[in-house]
Amino acid sequence: MIHMLNIRLTSTNFILWRRQLLPLLEGQALYGHIDGLIITPPAKLPTADGSLMAPNPTFITWKQQDQRLVSLLQASLTEETLAEVLHFDTTQQIWTTLESLYGGDSKQREIGIRDQLLHLTKGSSTVREFSKTF
């Protein structure tokens, strides 16, 4: 899936990066690892006699899938952004951290750009008026 990602996350492009990842994850039915809808199953289950704990095959499958997503996320980060999430183990932990680190800044930047566009002029025309001439 990594070949489908052409934008690597920096401190200034979170919205674009997120926009390329979400359809990919949703299309593969993997977004639940990010939003928590795919719940981490218990790692071990009691045996039939209840005396021991056995590995849970559902957990093993979940862990494999989550680690593939961790690899995908890490491969889509620049070195600077990767350094911010190296100590996290799951997709949800990484995503939540990146969203809190860069999501707010991106939203503020988006609002700032919109505000700048509203106040731009070409001669005596606003951007909106000028763009209607095309």
Side-chain angles (χ1 to χ4, degrees):
M1 286 190 290
I2 190 63
H3 67 280
M4 300 173 79
L5 304 175
N6 57 5
I7 298 172
R8 294 180 70 195
L9 179 63
T10 67
S11 61
T12 61
N13 68 351
F14 180 78
I15 291 174
L16 291 173
W17 175 82
R18 183 178 187 270
R19 188 70 181 130
Q20 87 173 339
L21 269 170
L22 291 183
L24 177 63
L25 297 177
E26 288 174 355
Q28 300 293 318
L30 298 172
Y31 185 71
H33 282 268
I34 288 172
D35 68 5
L37 287 179
I38 297 177
I39 298 169
T40 309
K44 300 211 180 241
L45 295 173
T47 57
D49 65 4
S51 61
L52 298 172
M53 298 294 277
N56 180 356
T58 306
F59 174 80
I60 294 168
T61 301
W62 173 88
K63 183 73 170 178
Q64 289 170 338
Q65 193 173 54
D66 193 68
Q67 290 304 291
R68 283 193 291 271
L69 285 173
V70 165
S71 294
L72 174 68
L73 285 179
Q74 289 176 342
S76 74
L77 306 177
T78 60
E79 288 180 28
E80 293 79 20
T81 53
L82 179 58
E84 299 285 351
V85 295
L86 278 179
H87 56 282
F88 294 112
D89 298 323
T90 69
T91 303
Q92 189 176 24
Q93 291 170 332
I94 292 169
W95 188 271
T96 302
T97 300
L98 293 172
E99 206 165 45
S100 68
L101 287 173
Y102 303 117
D105 289 344
S106 294
K107 192 64 176 170
Q108 290 297 337
R109 202 171 359 272
E110 178 186 343
I111 292 168
I113 291 169
R114 285 181 190 207
D115 189 47
Q116 289 173 357
L117 285 172
L118 285 173
H119 294 93
L120 271 179
T121 59
K122 171 90 173 162
S124 62
S125 301
T126 65
V127 171
R128 181 174 286 167
E129 293 166 344
F130 181 74
S131 64
K132 288 180 183 177
T133 62
F134 289 102

